Amino acid sequence: MSSRRMTTIAGSLVAASLSTVMVLSVTASADDQGPGSSKGGKAVDEAPADVELTTLLPEEISVDNSSQETAMTATVKNEGTKDSGNIRLWVVGFDGLTVKNVQGCSPIAEGDLPEGSNSGYTCPIDNLAAGDSKSYDVDATYDVSQTGAKTGKICLPVQNSDGSKTFWQQGPVPFGTTNPSPDAPATPLLLGTDNTPVAPGSDELPKTGLGRDVLPLGAAGTALITAGAAGLWWSQRRRET
């Protein structure tokens, strides 16, 4: 084999290898939101025997400072040994975080949103087999101009099909930053972190973890209470109606 032909083949192999690396790198970065976390989550009503439902949110998201747009993945898992049957996942935004769309889900009517929330989507799930999970792409906006004044929060309750029981609820858990960067193209936000005030000279220290505010549920007539690691939604909702 001539040296010219060997050089051509070697060059082709190098080019193919570089193309593969570039494709893999782009794919990884597009989906990389950090590991999923159930931070701020807690079981509420007892789930059916051997069904264990939880949710996951990315530990970090990034907000475009000019458009204030962000995206994340919300995941519901059945870590039990039996199928879940019909359930539904709600994705609800609070304060500076507004949920704009959840792929494959329907908007929650304004009158059915809990008081204090600004947006939400409901995602019916016919069945979640034991050991399986289902993920949803969430488009949202985060009002970075309110950093230090308002914290963007999100809440993921998992209920039975008619909403009379809440098997699991993650949140309302805040996304925030301890390092505001208004002049940067994007601001990274961490799950479970309150915002550090942007105002210069502020003597308020950054706070982390969940807030302890009380958010009454409007149309449902019960209370959404952030207590300890999570608010307890609707544990008595339908029982009183």
Side-chain angles (χ1 to χ4, degrees):
M1 183 179 295
S2 68
S3 60
R4 176 179 297 179
R5 186 178 179 188
M6 290 180 65
T7 301
T8 301
I9 293 173
S12 300
L13 289 173
V14 169
S17 299
L18 288 174
S19 298
T20 302
V21 170
M22 289 177 67
V23 169
L24 290 174
S25 299
V26 169
T27 302
S29 62
D31 295 333
D32 185 14
Q33 297 187 87
S37 172
S38 60
K39 182 179 293 185
K42 186 175 182 179
V44 184
D45 294 317
E46 187 176 357
D50 300 317
V51 174
E52 186 179 345
L53 297 166
T54 59
T55 56
L56 297 173
L57 287 165
E59 291 187 352
E60 181 176 340
I61 61 174
S62 181
V63 179
D64 186 295
N65 285 343
S66 58
S67 68
Q68 299 191 345
E69 294 178 351
T70 186
M72 67 189 81
T73 301
T75 301
V76 56
K77 297 177 64 178
N78 180 5
E79 298 180 329
T81 57
K82 288 188 178 179
D83 293 1
S84 70
N86 290 335
I87 57 173
R88 69 184 188 186
L89 170 72
W90 279 37
V91 182
V92 183
F94 291 85
D95 299 334
L97 190 153
T98 302
V99 180
K100 293 296 186 179
N101 186 58
V102 181
Q103 186 178 24
C105 304
S106 302
I108 299 170
E110 185 175 351
D112 291 332
L113 288 170
E115 187 176 343
S117 68
N118 54 48
S119 54
Y121 281 73
T122 178
C123 310
I125 302 171
D126 291 336
N127 183 61
L128 195 60
D132 278 0
S133 64
K134 188 172 180 62
S135 295
Y136 296 90
D137 293 330
V138 179
D139 294 321
T141 58
Y142 191 102
D143 191 350
V144 291
S145 67
Q146 296 179 348
T147 300
K150 277 191 176 181
T151 298
K153 296 179 183 177
I154 192 166
C155 191
L156 304 182
V158 183
Q159 303 176 321
N160 59 352
S161 58
D162 66 4
S164 60
K165 290 186 177 182
T166 299
F167 301 131
W168 170 269
Q169 181 178 309
Q170 184 173 9
V173 60
F175 275 103
T177 177
T178 56
N179 184 25
S181 50
D183 297 327
T187 297
L189 301 178
L190 301 177
L191 183 68
T193 302
D194 287 339
N195 285 322
T196 299
V198 166
S202 172
D203 58 359
E204 183 179 346
L205 296 176
K207 297 177 293 181
T208 59
L210 292 172
R212 300 182 181 274
D213 50 317
V214 176
L215 299 171
L217 194 62
T222 56
L224 171 60
I225 303 172
T226 303
L232 305 183
W233 257 10
W234 303 336
S235 58
Q236 297 178 354
R237 191 187 173 183
R238 304 295 175 101
R239 297 175 187 169
E240 298 178 358
T241 60

